[in-house]
Amino acid sequence: MGKLVAPLFVLLIFIGVCFGDDISLNPETWPQGTIEKYTKLLNGLHVDKPQGFSKNGEGIVSGTSSALAVHVATDALSKGLNAMDAVLAAIMAQIVISSGSYVSFAGILGLVYYNAKDGKIYSLNGNWNKPLQFKPDTCTNFDTNCIGKKVLIPGFMSALESARKRFGTVNLSTLLEPSIYFAEKGFVLDTLLSSYFNSKSLQSKLFRTKEGYEIFINPQTNQPYRYGELFKQVKLSQMLRNVSKYGIDYMYRGDWAEKFVNTVNEYGGSVSLNDLAQYEPIWSDPIKVTYRSDNISIHSLGLPADGGVRVGETMNLLELLNVNNSYTQSASTLSKLMDIAKWSQLLKSVVYFDPKSLNKMFPNIDLSFSGRTSKETAKQVFDIMFNNPPQDLQNRWYGFYKNCTTKEGNTCIYEDKKIPKKLNPFEGHSDAFTVIDKYGNVAAIVHSINSMPFGTGLFVDGIALSDATTANLGQLKITENGKQIPSPIQPTIVTLNEKPIIASGTIGGGLHPSTILNLYNILNQRLTPKLACDLPRFQGIQYTSNGCLPKNTTIPMGGDQFSEEIIKQVKSTQCLNILNEILEPTSTGSPGYSSLVYAYYGMDGRKMYLGGVNKEFNGFTEGI
């Protein structure tokens, strides 16, 4: 089952459901052997993943990591809960099963949700707030006495509770049952977490405080926990029980909030109880663009996020490119896709660090957030990219770079020379979930600690605090104190005739090109989610600041590899730094990992769902 046939749609009737407290999501209710079965699947790095399949449309879940967390979601769906219930229970379990390394209860999330009852799509931003008394980071390194300056105000739990209240059907304590179970009872440590706990480069953070030592040292061996050992998180389980009892006010106005403020400020930060108490997630209209016809629409994360803007503007450019052939077989198509993905990757640097220069670089083009997703702007940009001499665009980028780097105190292009390369913040990653339920609701969600694993190495009741400032220098520069900063994440839902057919979530340094390639592979090449994920892709390419590839670039790729001949041809079409200077790359990072689900609706009322995840990471997809 490789190619997709054109789906036909019928109207789905949504039956409103509200469940009482008799529903249990506690893994103790799972059949014997279930936990062991999915625990074995946690060690799924670089292993082929089966196609997720729901023959009768009862529900499907795809997640970029943790088969156990994916099964938390399918268990919820099998018990009649909806996509929102399932995805919220799963992402909290995912945090526990990742030990708070790359996702955190004090992290961030972005959500795009199709509500079958009213046929509308909603967008929720739960990104960082800039502290009211924010002071620029003056640390010369990850110094213990000022690490608190790198902590921002987390939105994860506030946004999660807002989503639950709006579209969930059970209370928060029910959704927390799997998380509390895995924190209290523990889980068998997989190879990835074992490598984290025993990494010399990470141990300086993990054991920075007494609490870190208590979390990650096995009292039976007096050594860091290792692969195959049972890992419990006692403090975290106690904290989650308090949230279950008192609600999220425990984190934003209660005891945990006080501990958070005291810890951050003890290490040089400047946050207050008011920062947490005033936090509000932001519901907004999703970014929406049509694609190739008025019947197909792309919906991504709304403002103040800019991730959705990047999806919209790139899909508009892809529409104008108007190709359908495989980029794995055509160097010309691959090179043009790289150029299109590169546009918004470089544009964000200007927007964050020197937005006034946009009018000078691109006069008479509306590059405001609203303008960037218009068809007219796309035509103007496409003309510059493909109908003008390539040196024209290269020189515009380089002119910005030279001006930007001469400004005192301007870090520019995400290059923070004060941070050693081995601590590069883009080497971490996040998690994504996509879910469709039997009622027709669809969720696409991305959440993250937004930093290297375990963030600052500071912990509050078992919760890791992110080094969020490092990865958000530009966003902080354009955001007022006390306000939510723009988010680059890109959960996306695609509709045909106003009914959802695709939900996509991507993570990693290459999240943007992976999002675009996923949509291209399904919409243009009509591939299944599994095949779309398995294809080679370019991942956070290391462009220099004039939009060229560094002279010694290897063009990092993800998925199955391109042929050497294709890469050779592509390198000949991409400029190789016209000034022959060694410039720092504009982005670094891990590949883009994806979770995808696809829905078919037949004229006879039948439904069928497919799911896919990348083979490189330990993701999983499961249908019911």
Side-chain angles (χ1 to χ4, degrees):
M1 182 178 287
K3 295 281 186 175
L4 298 177
V5 297
L8 299 175
F9 282 80
V10 295
L11 180 65
L12 295 176
I13 299 176
F14 178 86
I15 301 175
V17 182
C18 185
F19 294 94
D21 295 334
D22 55 334
I23 294 289
S24 175
L25 299 182
N26 193 321
E28 288 183 340
T29 66
W30 296 358
Q32 186 175 0
T34 301
I35 292 177
E36 291 77 11
K37 170 186 174 181
Y38 289 95
T39 295
K40 292 179 180 178
L41 296 171
L42 293 178
N43 298 298
L45 298 175
H46 304 287
V47 175
D48 187 51
K49 307 301 192 302
Q51 175 83 65
F53 183 58
S54 176
K55 181 178 180 181
N56 298 313
E58 289 296 302
I60 196 163
V61 181
S62 293
T64 52
S65 75
S66 180
L68 273 174
V70 169
H71 190 67
V72 166
T74 53
D75 177 62
L77 294 181
S78 68
K79 292 173 178 175
L81 302 189
N82 69 15
M84 185 63 80
D85 299 319
V87 77
L88 298 184
I91 62 176
M92 289 192 288
Q94 203 172 38
I95 293 172
V96 175
I97 298 166
S98 74
S99 70
S101 54
Y102 43 83
V103 284
S104 172
F105 288 102
I108 58 174
L109 71 77
L111 165 74
V112 179
Y113 189 74
Y114 175 81
N115 182 39
K117 188 174 184 179
D118 60 15
K120 295 181 180 179
I121 295 180
Y122 297 83
S123 168
L124 175 63
N125 276 287
N127 203 30
W128 310 108
N129 264 19
K130 186 177 180 179
L132 291 164
Q133 301 300 321
F134 178 79
K135 298 176 182 178
D137 176 13
T138 56
C139 291
T140 58
N141 202 314
F142 274 56
D143 296 334
T144 299
N145 62 353
C146 62
I147 195 69
K149 293 179 181 294
K150 298 181 178 292
V151 179
L152 302 178
I153 308 304
F156 176 85
M157 284 302 293
S158 180
L160 181 144
E161 177 66 347
S162 181
R164 183 198 68 82
K165 287 182 176 179
R166 191 162 189 175
F167 296 113
T169 65
V170 294
N171 57 37
L172 181 60
S173 60
T174 299
L175 299 182
L176 277 165
E177 287 178 352
S179 301
I180 293 172
Y181 174 89
F182 288 115
E184 284 186 349
K185 303 293 185 180
F187 58 92
V188 177
L189 208 64
D190 61 37
T191 53
L192 179 64
L193 292 186
S194 177
S195 68
Y196 283 170
F197 296 175
N198 292 276
S199 165
K200 297 299 182 183
S201 62
L202 285 177
Q203 284 182 350
S204 60
K205 285 200 299 183
L206 294 180
F207 307 133
R208 171 171 282 144
T209 65
K210 179 182 177 181
E211 182 166 345
Y213 187 91
E214 292 172 347
I215 295 171
F216 300 108
I217 293 294
N218 187 337
Q220 296 180 352
T221 64
N222 203 34
Q223 297 291 324
Y225 283 93
R226 293 186 177 275
Y227 170 71
E229 295 179 346
L230 186 66
F231 178 59
K232 298 181 180 181
Q233 299 168 81
V234 178
K235 276 196 171 183
L236 179 61
S237 69
Q238 295 170 345
M239 182 272 171
L240 294 177
R241 285 199 174 277
N242 283 327
V243 173
S244 178
K245 181 177 181 180
Y246 300 111
I248 66 161
D249 275 355
Y250 182 79
M251 288 189 68
Y252 286 85
R253 294 175 176 82
D255 289 349
W256 191 89
E258 292 185 8
K259 294 178 183 178
F260 171 85
V261 170
N262 291 338
T263 299
V264 172
N265 292 345
E266 178 185 351
Y267 288 90
S270 53
V271 301
S272 67
L273 288 173
N274 196 29
D275 278 311
L276 289 165
Q278 72 151 15
Y279 186 92
E280 292 288 343
I282 299 175
W283 291 94
S284 60
D285 293 333
I287 298 298
K288 177 183 178 181
V289 298
T290 58
Y291 185 68
R292 300 188 123 185
S293 79
D294 292 337
N295 297 329
I296 299 178
S297 296
I298 315 292
H299 311 257
S300 197
L301 199 60
L303 298 176
D306 65 349
V309 173
R310 297 179 65 196
V311 172
E313 70 183 346
T314 307
M315 293 307 293
N316 282 340
L317 292 170
L318 189 58
E319 178 181 64
L320 293 170
L321 186 62
N322 194 29
V323 294
N324 295 312
N325 57 326
S326 171
Y327 60 84
T328 65
Q329 303 299 319
S330 169
S332 174
T333 298
L334 176 58
S335 182
K336 289 175 180 177
L337 288 173
M338 291 169 66
D339 283 333
I340 286 175
K342 176 171 60 176
W343 166 259
S344 68
Q345 187 168 326
L346 291 169
L347 189 61
K348 70 177 182 180
S349 301
V350 186
V351 172
Y352 289 165
F353 291 104
D354 192 10
K356 293 181 180 179
S357 67
L358 278 177
N359 290 334
K360 297 178 181 178
M361 294 173 65
F362 303 101
N364 303 317
I365 300 180
D366 182 3
L367 292 176
S368 64
F369 276 173
S370 59
R372 284 168 59 184
T373 57
S374 73
K375 300 295 186 182
E376 178 60 30
T377 293
K379 291 177 183 178
Q380 293 174 291
V381 172
F382 190 87
D383 192 56
I384 292 174
M385 292 177 66
F386 296 111
N387 296 325
N388 284 9
Q391 291 81 4
D392 175 30
L393 186 56
Q394 294 162 23
N395 284 323
R396 297 189 200 212
W397 291 126
Y398 191 66
F400 160 73
Y401 176 78
K402 294 296 287 186
N403 181 52
C404 185
T405 53
T406 59
K407 294 185 177 182
E408 185 177 356
N410 192 348
T411 53
C412 195
I413 318 294
Y414 298 109
E415 181 194 352
D416 191 343
K417 296 184 175 65
K418 295 175 291 186
I419 300 175
K421 292 294 182 182
K422 66 180 181 180
L423 294 177
N424 192 305
F426 294 94
E427 295 300 325
H429 73 87
S430 314
D431 263 321
F433 255 86
T434 47
V435 180
I436 309 177
D437 64 27
K438 65 182 179 182
Y439 311 112
N441 303 298
V442 181
I445 196 166
V446 177
H447 65 122
S448 180
I449 196 172
N450 200 203
S451 70
M452 281 282 284
F454 306 104
T456 58
L458 301 179
F459 298 89
V460 178
D461 288 348
I463 295 178
L465 304 187
S466 173
D467 161 31
T469 297
T470 302
N472 293 282
L473 298 172
Q475 293 93 318
L476 287 165
K477 185 171 182 178
I478 64 172
T479 303
E480 296 179 18
N481 287 8
K483 301 296 184 181
Q484 190 175 137
I485 68 174
S487 170
I489 57 181
Q490 301 176 3
T492 299
I493 291 175
V494 180
T495 57
L496 174 62
N497 297 325
E498 300 184 351
K499 295 297 178 182
I501 56 171
I502 302 169
S504 167
T506 56
I507 62 171
L511 72 87
H512 177 62
S514 288
T515 297
I516 301 309
L517 292 182
N518 287 339
L519 298 181
Y520 178 83
N521 288 335
I522 295 178
L523 294 173
N524 291 51
Q525 297 199 71
R526 308 177 87 77
L527 299 181
T528 63
K530 173 177 168 52
L531 290 181
C533 287
D534 284 346
L535 280 180
R537 59 200 182 281
F538 45 92
Q539 55 191 50
I541 295 174
Q542 313 297 294
Y543 295 106
T544 55
S545 303
N546 59 347
C548 300
L549 297 168
K551 293 175 66 176
N552 60 349
T553 185
T554 57
I555 309 186
M557 303 291 178
D560 295 333
Q561 296 302 300
F562 291 93
S563 68
E564 292 184 5
E565 180 61 28
I566 288 290
I567 293 179
K568 180 180 178 181
Q569 293 179 41
V570 168
K571 290 181 71 171
S572 70
T573 63
Q574 295 281 314
C575 66
L576 290 175
N577 198 340
I578 56 175
L579 298 181
N580 293 316
E581 295 181 15
I582 303 299
L583 301 178
E584 288 296 321
T586 62
S587 70
T588 58
S590 58
Y593 305 112
S594 305
S595 67
L596 289 171
V597 290
Y598 190 98
Y600 296 89
Y601 302 93
M603 289 298 293
D604 58 359
R606 289 183 301 170
K607 298 177 290 183
M608 183 175 70
Y609 302 150
L610 299 176
V613 294
N614 300 103
K615 64 178 65 175
E616 297 96 329
F617 203 55
N618 63 336
F620 191 66
T621 179
E622 182 176 48
I624 58 174

